[in-house]
Amino acid sequence: MVLTDATTLPQDPIDSALSMPLIPLPVHVRLAEGHLLLPSLGIEGDPVTAALVRHDLQRLSGEAQPEGEPAKASVSLALVDDTSTPQGYILDTRGDGIRIVARDSAGLYYGTRTLLQLLQRTGEGWSVPRVLIEDAPRFAYRGVMLDVARHFFTVDEVKAYVDRATALKFNHLHLHLTDDQGWRLQIDSWPLLTERASEGDAGDGPGGFFTKDDYREIVGYAAERHMIVVPEIDLPGHTHAIGVAYPDLVEEPWLTDQIVAEAGRLAQPVPVHGEHFSGWAVGHSSLRIGEERTYDFVKDVLDEVAAMTPGPYLHIGGDECLGTAPADFAAFMERATRLVSETGKTAIAWHEAGAAHDIAEGTVGQYWGSAVPQGSHAEEATRFVTRGGGLILSPSDRTYLDMKPDAGFPLGLDWAGIIPLRTAYHWDPADVVPGVPESAILGIEAPLWSETVESLKDADALVFPRLTAHAETAWSAREGAGRTWESYLSRLNALVPVLQASGIDVTTAAADES
Ligand code: TNX
């Protein structure tokens, strides 16, 4: 794939530094003369990071990497005790080896992600441009979301998604574990959830679920790669599947003319209480908010999810409760956010939950309105900040990876708009919700909803290359040399072969961008 625009770049030293395959853009890149050639890559220093890199190199080269320290270790990973920015690193290839220095192991890991973008395999061994990179993230929360409810993804597929995201320095994986079409996580106290409500999906697939061990395996795999899993149990809407297992917990579907008409247009079913739903309609389901048994259920589920989640967050949804009276919705969200606090975790909720004035203090909001907020969205999002929480920004007309990149794209939806690469790149988290200071913004998240996504191959087709744009928005400074669309495209051109070498089938969707 060839991206245009790059050809117009002048070739002075700074610009050639910025045509390297580096996304997200580092804070400082100083290019020196020539390349460092290394016949083999021995790694010394921090053993956990070293083992991961050895594994990555093995995958890239198809060769086992030397375990011990060769005569001249070619990559050294050093932790230093200083006050540099958390997760930051220095990568220096100007000497006779590659040196990565950081104050924490996340920083070392990110240094190795940058190294993997720069490393080339030549006939003579490995080669890397001579360069000094100093780098640190803009935002602490750099998230991707995977909807395993509409279509289920296996543990191996989720791990592959973790690999893709961590290579771009993302550090949170939000798993959307439950929705109208399926419940995907074992809960011992309510066993019918997986016995009955995990079957089927938003199509004609078999569905599935993660056992607790599966879930722990994902959490562990992500944690080794400095990624925190954020589990979402979507409440009180998006709960039709709960009613397949426990019909008494869920209201009769709230069917509007629009839902019925849309189902007809798509030749999809309308939801029927207590039966599996395979359509794509949203907003028709709700837990029974006035029943005490509902809160027994919510408490049991949240307690079990908290117990198997080492990360600080539990996401409890709160989106699209279209048939729920505002007072009922507020009462539910206030109580549910408190149940999360009682587990010792911090609640995250979609921004509509900010309509409830008394959500638990410190609850984090996830904004999914458009880049220019409409209606009450900004006010709802701001509520989380006034209640002492932060905001995660997922503007749907920029970050929703399930929106089509062009009108003719075979996969994806378009309700939030068509999102070509250029649009995905052009927005700034600090400019979305007026009056919210950057200090209240935890970061950004790019969600992949899976109504039309049935496999990792489908996911890749929608996600790449747009995920690289979101990586840059999440990590890179707002301004600075190279923080431009032209530089990004040039670096992306250089990165595509690196992505392909790691097994990602990057489509040519971006080729028409300029
Ligand atoms: C909106 S935005 C949803 C999901 C759908 C998605 C499809 C939000 C929090 N919810 O239920 O899967 O649109 O793009």
Side-chain angles (χ1 to χ4, degrees):
M1 132 183 180
V2 173
L3 298 162
T4 47
D5 266 23
T7 45
T8 60
L9 285 174
Q11 290 302 307
D12 64 29
I14 292 176
D15 284 318
S16 40
L18 300 177
S19 330
M20 290 195 289
L22 291 173
I23 296 178
L25 178 73
V27 176
H28 293 293
V29 181
R30 232 173 301 154
L31 191 62
E33 284 285 302
H35 279 70
L36 173 64
L37 269 175
L38 298 159
S40 73
L41 284 183
I43 303 165
E44 67 171 9
D46 181 58
V48 178
T49 314
L52 282 172
V53 179
R54 237 175 254 125
H55 181 79
D56 293 330
L57 291 173
Q58 193 163 330
R59 236 195 290 189
L60 269 183
S61 66
E63 290 163 19
Q65 293 304 309
E67 270 283 338
E69 195 179 314
K72 212 163 55 166
S74 31
V75 185
S76 83
L77 307 170
L79 280 173
V80 289
D81 191 10
D82 71 9
T83 53
S84 50
T85 318
Q87 302 182 35
Y89 65 90
I90 295 175
L91 167 66
D92 190 350
T93 65
R94 297 167 308 168
D96 52 7
I98 297 166
R99 192 169 157 71
I100 301 176
V101 179
R103 69 172 257 183
D104 54 30
S105 55
L108 277 188
Y109 180 69
Y110 296 129
T112 66
R113 298 309 90 182
T114 299
L115 174 62
L116 288 173
Q117 293 186 335
L118 292 177
L119 266 183
Q120 284 170 3
R121 188 89 174 126
T122 67
E124 297 157 276
W126 298 94
S127 128
V128 61
R130 291 206 180 263
V131 72
L132 173 67
I133 294 178
E134 292 171 64
D135 201 8
R138 176 180 177 189
F139 291 110
Y141 189 109
R142 304 179 299 278
V144 291
M145 190 208 83
L146 187 61
D147 172 5
V148 297
R150 270 51 175 272
H151 280 99
F152 185 61
F153 289 79
T154 62
V155 171
D156 282 346
E157 287 170 327
V158 177
K159 286 181 177 174
Y161 207 66
V162 168
D163 289 342
R164 283 150 169 71
T166 52
L168 296 167
K169 304 188 176 74
F170 284 97
N171 66 349
H172 288 76
L173 171 68
H174 169 181
L175 283 178
H176 184 75
L177 290 162
T178 68
D179 214 302
D180 292 315
Q181 298 84 352
W183 183 282
R184 309 296 179 205
L185 182 65
Q186 178 186 353
I187 300 292
D188 296 329
S189 51
W190 297 78
L192 300 184
L193 288 171
T194 47
E195 271 171 44
R196 294 193 186 152
S198 69
E199 259 176 50
D201 60 17
D204 51 17
F209 68 93
F210 299 129
T211 63
K212 287 192 165 179
D213 282 346
D214 289 340
Y215 178 77
R216 287 195 193 99
E217 191 176 329
I218 292 169
V219 166
Y221 186 87
E224 278 174 20
R225 290 156 183 79
H226 300 277
M227 177 171 254
I228 290 171
V229 169
V230 179
E232 180 186 354
I233 305 295
D234 201 349
L235 305 167
H238 290 273
T239 45
H240 182 90
I242 298 172
V244 175
Y246 300 101
D248 61 319
L249 290 175
V250 176
E251 300 286 0
E252 283 290 328
W254 186 74
L255 292 181
T256 59
D257 291 347
Q258 202 200 341
I259 287 178
V260 176
E262 183 69 0
R265 198 178 65 78
L266 293 170
Q268 289 182 348
V270 289
V272 176
H273 187 69
E275 290 179 18
H276 172 69
F277 174 58
S278 61
W280 297 353
V282 295
H284 48 80
S285 57
S286 178
L287 289 178
R288 291 200 172 132
I289 285 169
E291 300 288 331
E292 265 321 287
R293 183 168 145 82
T294 296
Y295 300 92
D296 296 341
F297 169 81
V298 172
K299 180 174 166 34
D300 289 344
V301 169
L302 295 178
D303 285 351
E304 286 195 37
V305 178
M308 58 179 141
T309 301
Y313 302 117
L314 292 193
H315 200 309
I316 51 167
D319 56 320
E320 300 176 318
C321 297
L322 306 182
T324 311
D328 287 348
F329 175 69
F332 180 88
M333 292 315 296
E334 288 165 5
R335 210 162 153 185
T337 51
R338 286 199 166 66
L339 286 173
V340 173
S341 302
E342 284 165 21
T343 69
K345 304 288 182 190
T346 298
I348 306 183
W350 297 105
H351 73 249
E352 292 105 304
H357 288 217
D358 199 25
I359 45 173
E361 276 180 44
T363 299
V364 168
Q366 183 167 9
Y367 175 83
W368 65 270
S370 43
V372 178
Q374 308 292 307
S376 55
H377 292 178
E379 194 189 322
E380 287 158 4
T382 305
R383 175 93 50 209
F384 294 91
V385 179
T386 28
R387 299 283 298 161
L391 272 188
I392 297 164
L393 291 164
S394 301
S396 47
D397 55 355
R398 295 293 186 278
T399 65
Y400 270 32
L401 294 164
D402 63 315
M403 292 302 118
K404 290 175 184 289
D406 62 75
F409 205 76
L411 300 168
L413 305 174
D414 61 6
W415 66 263
I418 305 291
I419 310 183
L421 182 62
R422 176 191 279 275
T423 308
Y425 188 79
H426 279 111
W427 68 287
D428 191 86
D431 293 344
V432 176
V433 184
V436 169
E438 179 153 341
S439 57
I441 298 172
L442 300 182
I444 76 160
E445 187 175 290
L448 180 65
W449 302 99
S450 63
E451 285 91 338
T452 67
V453 182
E454 299 186 18
S455 63
L456 190 60
K457 194 172 171 358
D458 289 353
D460 281 347
L462 280 165
V463 163
F464 287 98
R466 292 181 295 180
L467 190 63
T468 66
H470 303 312
E472 185 138 315
T473 306
W475 176 281
S476 305
R478 179 175 180 149
E479 276 155 13
R483 186 68 165 88
T484 62
W485 166 244
E486 290 74 19
S487 160
Y488 162 74
L489 270 190
S490 160
R491 287 178 283 115
L492 178 58
N493 251 324
L495 187 66
V496 165
V498 178
L499 295 172
Q500 285 169 336
S502 73
I504 301 167
D505 183 17
V506 183
T507 66
T508 54
D512 304 330
E513 303 281 335
S514 60

